[in-house]
């Protein structure tokens, strides 16, 4: 199979040898092409868009066209959005739609039941395995539901296999669509999941599940009894909202995972970036694309603060995000980064364009920003760790104030009562994102606020009453917020028998105060309270042998 194919048009410039130039489309499959009529796995409209509009000279255009092909190739090669198939039948329920449509579908070999909206108590399942509850005693199994948009109930909108008739021009268009998904329905895995840093998975009490809250479908549900997330990739709309607000980074894009994203960032070094939603039509968009400006086509909604800041620092310029809609997570991210950039650089970080006119205006405002460029990518670190290191580079030793947490992207701090903290480290065990750590060299409990997702699990896990308090305050743009700070510290206690240090003085003191009354006048038992495990056993054995 051919990889990079360019179908010749009037904007053609001399291209590198890696790209084959064809006079016209051919009836063979290629990996990437610039023409939607060519049979290809990936149609890349940004190639013609860039070539038609860019102010770069011919040599730069040739280099950048190859970059655009290579970007698409990397995304394809490193993507984890594997294709899945499901067999579905021709059983359809029509809700408040004409009998004429039912007759039309029956003539085309579909099994059709027509119902009124009020007759359906509820539906559940997924496409190909849907069930409508008609009454306490009647349930109907079916595959696809077509409804009148006047009755766009929540359960209709959340389930896969439910379609609004107004989205189809006419009954022939609906039939064409149905024939494209029956009997073989194809879908992809749109997101990946790391349960090890999930703030909901297997915890004693609920502290997150923000992804479930924001998901518009049943793609992510929670099992409250076992504290596990339940995923249904077939129900996913690929809106990306769950990824953009996941506090720990346990959710990631399968189409554009982090290792792929970091590689792509390198293609934009010292080039201004225009992020363009794949839902934007580029075929007839004509404008003056300034020199050193490259497009990146993305799926909407999933970018996190780390992704946006990585693009900003890789390019060294503010970026434009051309999209029809901005997800809730992306909205808070834009506010966060724009607030900081306006304070530090007196410039915006991210321009959001909702239409062609705004896009054209913002292209004139986009510029390189002095001291913004920073080459750093580490796929072994979490999303917040990467973001923290990048912010440290920008903040250095200055203080740019603070910003309150929003509904989705949350930051905060903890307070420790050092008088009651015994350094038992229960809070460290509860924190799975590394915000709380034990420094064994200094015998200290340390906290990095920039890594804290404010889940609160440390607070409920603390063994001492009124000792640890979490405050969901917001992010602070100062160096201390992004570094580990000592919250509590104590000296180690040495075993009174062998001299080996084995616990903190406060912990020994607390245990001794609690156990002494129970041991009464038994001096051997009291002595064991101040001994390491080995010496404790020796004392007890010796005590029993003297009986």
């Amino acid at each position: 199979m051919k990889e990079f194919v360019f179908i010749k048009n009037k904007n053609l410039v001399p291209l590198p040898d890696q790209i084959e130039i064809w006079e016209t489309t051919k009836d063979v499959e290629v990996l990437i092409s610039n023409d939607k009529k060519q049979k290809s796995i990936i149609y890349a409209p940004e190639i013609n868009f860039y070539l038609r509009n860019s102010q770069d000279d011919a040599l730069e255009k040739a280099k950048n066209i190859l970059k655009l092909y290579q970007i698409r190739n990397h995304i394809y090669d490193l993507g984890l959005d594997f294709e899945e198939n499901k067999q579905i039948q021709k059983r359809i329920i029509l809700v408040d739609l004409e009998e004429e449509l039912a007759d039309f579908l029956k003539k085309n070999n579909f099994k059709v039941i027509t119902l009124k909206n009020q007759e359906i108590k509820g539906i559940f399942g997924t496409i190909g395995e849907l069930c409508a509850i008609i009454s306490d005693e009647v349930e109907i199994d079916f595959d696809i539901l077509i409804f009148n948009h006047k009755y766009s109930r929540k359960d209709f909108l959340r389930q896969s296999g439910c379609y609004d008739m107004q989205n189809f021009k006419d009954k022939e268009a609906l039939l064409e669509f149905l024939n494209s998904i029956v009997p073989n329905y194809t879908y992809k895995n749109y997101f990946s999941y790391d349960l090890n840093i999930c703030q909901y998975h297997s915890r004693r009490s609920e502290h997150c599940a923000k992804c479930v809250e924001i998901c518009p479908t049943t793609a992510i549900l929670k099992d409250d009894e076992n504290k596990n997330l339940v995923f249904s990739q077939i129900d996913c709309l690929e809106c990306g909202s769950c990824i953009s607000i996941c506090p720990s980074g346990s959710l990631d894009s399968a189409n554009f995972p982090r290792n792929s994203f970091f590689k792509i960032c390198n293609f934009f070094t010292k080039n201004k970036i225009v992020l363009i939603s794949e839902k934007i039509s580029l075929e007839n968009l004509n404008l003056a694309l300034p020199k050193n400006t490259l497009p990146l086509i993305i799926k909407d909604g999933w970018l996190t603060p780390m992704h946006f800041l990585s693009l900003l620092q890789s390019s060294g310029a503010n970026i434009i995000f051309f999209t029809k809609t901005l997800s809730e997570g992306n909205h808070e991210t834009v506010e966060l980064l724009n607030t900081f950039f306006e304070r530090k650089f007196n410039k915006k970080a991210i321009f959001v364009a909702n239409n062609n006119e705004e896009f054209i205006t913002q292209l004139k405002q986009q510029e390189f920003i002095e001291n913004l460029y920073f080459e750093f990518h580490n796929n072994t670190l979490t999303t917040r760790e990467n973001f923290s290191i990048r912010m440290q580079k920008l903040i250095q030793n200055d203080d740019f104030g603070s910003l309150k947490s929003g509904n989705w992207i949350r930051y905060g701090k903890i307070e420790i009562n050092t008088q009651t903290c015994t350094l038992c480290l229960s809070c460290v065990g509860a924190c799975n994102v590394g915000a709380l750590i034990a420094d064994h060299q200094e015998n200290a409990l340390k906290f990095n606020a920039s890594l804290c997702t404010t889940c609160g699990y440390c607070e409920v896990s603390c063994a001492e009453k009124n000792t640890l308090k979490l405050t969901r305050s917001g992010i602070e743009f100062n160096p201390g917020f992004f570094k580990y700070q000592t919250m509590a510290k104590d000296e180690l206690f040495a075993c009174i028998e062998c001299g080996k240090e084995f616990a903190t003085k406060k912990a020994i003191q607390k245990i001794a105060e609690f156990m002494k009354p129970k041991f009464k006048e038994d001096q051997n038992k009291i002595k064991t309270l101040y001994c390491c495990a080995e010496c404790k056993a020796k004392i007890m054995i010796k005590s029993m042998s003297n009986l």
Side-chain angles (χ1 to χ4, degrees), residues 49 75 223 270 280 313 546:
F49 167 75
I75 295 173
D223 176 356
K270 303 301 174 66
I280 301 290
Q313 290 181 315
N546 291 333

Side-chain angles (χ1 to χ4, degrees), residues 117-167:
N117 176 60
Q118 60 267 25
E119 293 179 296
I120 302 176
K121 308 302 181 185
I123 63 168
F124 61 89
T126 62
I127 184 171
E129 298 176 284
L130 290 167
C131 180
I133 301 172
I134 307 304
S135 68
D136 292 341
E137 298 180 355
V138 179
E139 296 181 355
I140 300 175
D141 294 326
F142 66 105
D143 298 274
I144 298 167
L145 183 142
I146 311 296
F147 62 91
N148 187 321
H149 71 278
K150 294 179 182 179
Y151 304 103
S152 54
R153 295 167 21 168
K154 187 175 181 179
D155 52 349
F156 290 177
L157 297 174
R158 284 174 62 84
Q159 306 295 143
S160 59
C162 300
Y163 302 98
D164 188 343
M165 185 60 199
Q166 76 167 349
N167 293 329

Side-chain angles (χ1 to χ4, degrees), residues 63 134 139 155 216 226 232 322 357 395 407 411 416-417:
K63 292 178 181 177
I134 307 304
E139 296 181 355
D155 52 349
N226 298 302
S232 175
F322 190 10
E357 291 72 26
I395 291 171
N407 292 326
Y411 285 91
I416 300 288
N417 183 339

